[in-house]
Amino acid sequence: MEFEDIRYEIDGPAAVVTIDRPERYNAFRGKTVDELIKAFRLAWADKQVQAVILTGAGEKAFCTGGDVKQRAETGDYGPTESGMFEIGNLHKLIRDIPKPVIAAVNGVAVGGGHVLHVLCDVTIASETARFGQAGPRVGSFDAGFGSAYLARVVGEKKAREIWFFCRQYDAAEAERMGLVNAVVPAGELLKTAKAWADDAAALSPTALRFLKQSFNADTDHQAGLSNLAMSALDLFTASPEGLEGAQAFAEKRKPDFVSHVNWH
């Protein structure tokens, strides 16, 4: 299968899925999400694949979330096969695929890109990686898995800090807060991720499938919150306040959110 926005490669027991839009810091548009869904479905169906590695092209970014420039230009994330922006289905697929998903974070993971790595089963980070949220800075948010599940990973206080202040954290701090499993030199990132995939491939696939489903069962109720949050986000991004965030980002100026807020 040919892709435009991503690369899909089989390396031993691992499917390596690479977001390939380095000119946009690997931000995703609608087409990118469609292709990621296809890639994860291919990996699910392929009996050779025992683990999936998700990473980004280049050295600067793992993924910076939704393409805000695209949203500023067209008011949405561009055309898709279904006519819908399928990011919620991608989130669910990362959780549901019955194989370990390893995030190999090679650079900046912010916004929706931060949510993607959080949803992966484990995260290996380059020493040059940086983590954080940017949604409220550009008129966006993830009130579903991106916040509720994040709180399970790092605790309520830290999750609120990440979202309420939009700071960035280096790889060492991310490891201390339990946001990542391991930090390695940049040149060792993919090698390490593939070694972890090899370790998983030596184990019982059925046992890992049941274990992943068991872990997920504790937080599957958050899918309802995620659906609600996505509906709210659709409305918010079309509001004057949401549009101001995207427009200010595109124009490289400080957004004026307050004048657009309805306090009632």
Side-chain angles (χ1 to χ4, degrees):
M1 184 175 292
E2 292 186 1
F3 296 107
E4 180 181 347
D5 286 10
I6 72 166
R7 298 197 307 268
Y8 181 83
E9 303 159 302
I10 302 297
D11 189 334
V16 182
V17 181
T18 306
I19 304 173
D20 192 17
R21 303 186 77 219
E23 74 285 354
R24 291 284 179 108
Y25 291 90
N26 295 323
F28 51 73
R29 55 181 176 171
K31 183 180 183 66
T32 319
V33 173
D34 283 352
E35 292 186 356
L36 286 169
I37 288 172
K38 288 180 181 178
F40 273 88
R41 285 176 174 162
L42 285 172
W44 187 326
D46 190 338
K47 293 182 179 179
Q48 177 184 337
V49 172
Q50 299 299 312
V52 181
I53 297 169
L54 179 63
T55 192
E59 300 177 354
K60 293 182 178 180
F62 168 75
C63 177
T64 53
D67 191 335
V68 182
K69 287 186 178 180
Q70 171 84 42
R71 185 157 68 90
E73 292 165 1
T74 65
D76 58 20
Y77 290 111
T80 64
E81 290 185 4
S82 68
M84 298 184 294
F85 185 49
E86 303 268 6
I87 189 64
N89 286 333
L90 175 61
H91 290 175
K92 189 173 186 300
L93 188 52
I94 291 172
R95 283 174 58 86
D96 286 352
I97 183 173
K99 303 172 183 184
V101 181
I102 303 166
V105 180
N106 51 304
V108 176
V110 299
H114 189 265
V115 175
L116 290 182
H117 103 84
V118 168
L119 285 170
C120 292
D121 296 297
V122 296
T123 297
I124 302 170
S126 160
E127 290 175 336
T128 58
R130 296 188 67 83
F131 301 83
Q133 264 308 327
R137 184 176 288 127
V138 296
S140 184
F141 58 83
D142 185 332
F145 284 122
S147 51
Y149 182 63
L150 176 66
R152 291 293 186 96
V153 174
V154 300
E156 283 276 352
K157 290 285 189 178
K158 203 66 180 180
R160 290 172 189 245
E161 175 190 320
I162 289 169
W163 274 101
F164 289 175
F165 303 102
C166 291
R167 295 168 179 157
Q168 287 193 13
Y169 306 85
D170 63 23
E173 172 64 13
E175 186 177 27
R176 282 195 294 272
M177 73 173 85
L179 188 61
V180 306
N181 298 83
V183 179
V184 298
E188 299 292 316
L189 180 63
L190 273 181
K191 178 181 177 182
T192 303
K194 290 174 182 177
W196 283 44
D198 288 342
D199 288 345
L203 306 174
S204 163
T206 302
L208 295 186
R209 177 177 190 153
F210 275 107
L211 285 166
K212 180 164 182 173
Q213 291 170 346
S214 178
F215 284 125
N216 286 350
D218 184 50
T219 52
D220 271 347
H221 67 280
Q222 293 177 357
L225 297 176
S226 184
N227 291 337
L228 184 66
M230 290 299 175
S231 296
L233 185 59
D234 286 343
L235 295 175
F236 176 70
T237 53
S239 72
E241 186 182 350
L243 292 170
E244 167 64 11
Q247 198 62 45
F249 179 85
E251 296 173 0
K252 298 181 179 180
R253 61 174 173 81
K254 184 178 179 180
D256 176 18
F257 289 122
V258 175
S259 64
H260 298 288
V261 174
N262 180 1
W263 295 104
H264 304 290

